[in-house]
Each structure stands twice: as structure tokens, then as C-alpha cells.
Amino acid sequence: MKVVADKELCVGAGQCAMVAERVFTQDDSDGTVVVLKEVPDAGEEADARQAVLICPSGALSLDES
């Protein structure tokens, strides 16, 4: 599983960083998503999936290939 973030779609809500703080953070300058781990560890996968589901702008997705 690979985490994909589209900074153009991101609205800076910060839900991802709250739910999966080891996988996502926010850019200090504009508040948009920053992916800390493109490939989350097994223990972080559930949080990463939750972050994708709750992202209000749809800026996050998962590449399962």
C-alpha cells in the first residue's frame, strides 16, 4: 500500500494529521498535507486508510498495487 496526496486538492483541514500523525503532517507555510511515510508500516495502515476516508477534499488516496 502506498499513500498518495494531491496538494492541489488539499484544503488544509488537518484531519489526516490528527488521525495518522506518523504518516501525515501539514506544511507550515500553507497548511496543506505532507506525506511523512509513502509506505506506512503495518501498524499504521489502518490509520492511513481512515485518513483517506475522512479527508474532506478527497486529496488522499491509496495505491494498492
Side-chain angles (χ1 to χ4, degrees), residues 26-49:
Q26 289 179 276
D27 188 295
D28 288 336
S29 64
D30 63 5
T32 58
V33 65
V34 174
V35 178
L36 298 173
K37 283 188 170 180
E38 229 176 45
V39 180
D41 296 334
E44 299 161 341
E45 284 186 10
D47 289 344
R49 289 180 189 282

Side-chain angles (χ1 to χ4, degrees), residues 10-32:
C10 181
V11 296
Q15 300 296 321
C16 57
M18 285 190 273
V19 170
E21 62 189 21
R22 293 183 186 157
V23 180
F24 304 101
T25 192
Q26 289 179 276
D27 188 295
D28 288 336
S29 64
D30 63 5
T32 58

Side-chain angles (χ1 to χ4, degrees), residues 9-11 15-16 50-60:
L9 289 177
C10 181
V11 296
Q15 300 296 321
C16 57
Q50 182 66 23
V52 170
L53 289 174
I54 66 171
C55 178
S57 65
L60 303 177

